[in-house]
């Protein structure tokens, strides 16, 4: 401040204003985190903490397969809470796309775009609330509405995207869940 020619008395007078301005801007920054891309500051560490510990490529067991009405995932609310968190943790860096054999070979598949389609569906179906504060009852079917029906079958399930992702997002798990739904619930296998 002395370099700018401000005397100590004047600096002491404007200090409270500068302090409260700085404090207010900090609170605005914190409040804006969930509504901007800065949400990754929270979502990625949480995703890393709660990520599945099973090895890549192992399929999660279906409990009570004889009694289950829905096998796999057909709507966004059927994903686990950890999977929904991982959709928000994706930073769209494209590292998964760079190593994906299906994407490299020119197929119309990208693990990044798949996760982003799930995130957009999640925001549309789960976050938008009506005037009463209740979640909306509209649920978009993932296959056919959010993504093409044959898209899960384009993935080679090699796990390269899982190994390369800095946020530990596992698109391969979602692909397997979609395949299970198509094969075991609808019977529509390309």
């Amino acid at each position: 401040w002395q370099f700018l020619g401000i005397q100590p008395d004047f600096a002491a007078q404007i200090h409270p204003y500068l302090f409260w301005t700085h404090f207010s801007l900090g609170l605005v920054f914190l409040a804006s985190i969930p509504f901007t891309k800065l949400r990754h500051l929270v979502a990625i560490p949480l995703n890393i903490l709660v990520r599945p510990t099973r090895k890549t490529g192992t399929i999660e067991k279906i409990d009570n397969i004889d009694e289950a009405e829905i096998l796999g995932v057909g709507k966004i609310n059927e994903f686990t809470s950890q999977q929904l968190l991982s959709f928000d943790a994706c930073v769209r860096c494209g590292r998964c796309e760079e190593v994906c054999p299906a994407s490299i070979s020119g197929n119309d598949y990208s693990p990044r775009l798949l996760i982003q389609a799930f995130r957009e569906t999640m925001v549309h179906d789960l976050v938008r609330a009506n005037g009463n504060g209740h979640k909306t009852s509209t649920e978009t079917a993932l296959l056919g509405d959010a993504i093409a029906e044959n898209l899960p079958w384009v993935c080679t399930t090699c796990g390269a995207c899982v190994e390369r992702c800095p946020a530990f997002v596992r698109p391969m798990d979602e692909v397997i869940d979609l395949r299970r739904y198509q094969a075991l619930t609808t019977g529509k296998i390309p």
Side-chain angles (χ1 to χ4, degrees):
W1 289 104
Q2 288 178 350
F3 177 74
L4 296 174
I6 296 176
Q7 298 300 320
D9 293 338
F10 182 68
Q13 290 175 356
I14 64 169
H15 178 266
Y17 300 107
L18 294 176
F19 171 79
W20 288 110
T21 301
H22 184 248
F23 183 77
S24 300
L25 289 174
L27 289 179
V28 167
F29 170 74
L30 284 175
S32 70
I33 287 175
F35 307 106
T36 63
K37 286 187 178 186
L38 293 173
R39 69 182 171 276
H40 302 304
L41 293 170
V42 177
I44 291 174
L46 283 176
N47 188 51
I48 291 171
L49 288 173
V50 298
R51 72 178 185 256
T53 55
R54 67 181 188 277
K55 291 183 179 180
T56 303
T58 54
I59 299 173
E60 188 149 345
K61 181 182 174 188
I62 300 175
D63 296 324
N64 297 328
I65 195 166
D66 295 333
E67 298 173 10
E69 292 180 22
I70 298 174
L71 301 169
V73 173
K75 296 185 178 177
I76 198 74
N77 63 350
E78 295 168 356
F79 282 116
T80 65
S81 57
Q82 187 281 322
Q83 288 174 309
L84 295 174
L85 176 65
S86 74
F87 302 158
D88 221 13
C90 177
V91 293
R92 304 177 196 164
C93 65
R95 292 179 188 177
C96 56
E97 203 171 311
E98 291 173 352
V99 297
C100 177
S103 189
I104 292 170
S105 66
N107 284 321
D108 192 23
Y109 175 78
S110 163
R112 177 179 57 95
L113 295 178
L114 178 75
I115 295 298
Q116 290 308 306
F118 291 154
R119 184 183 181 289
E120 289 174 16
T121 305
M122 176 180 68
V123 168
H124 180 265
D125 286 358
L126 297 177
V127 177
R128 293 188 184 195
N130 62 19
N132 298 331
H134 300 290
K135 293 179 181 175
T136 56
S137 61
T138 60
E139 294 177 354
T140 307
L142 292 175
L143 297 166
D145 291 341
I147 60 169
E149 287 191 19
N150 67 338
L151 199 64
W153 299 95
V154 178
C155 174
T156 62
T157 61
C158 66
C161 56
V162 176
E163 296 297 323
R164 191 73 185 264
C165 181
F168 295 93
V169 177
R170 300 170 63 116
M172 191 175 70
D173 292 346
E174 285 77 26
V175 166
I176 291 170
D177 286 340
L178 290 170
R179 287 180 181 179
R180 278 182 170 178
Y181 178 76
Q182 277 187 310
L184 301 174
T185 303
T186 67
K188 295 179 183 177
I189 303 171

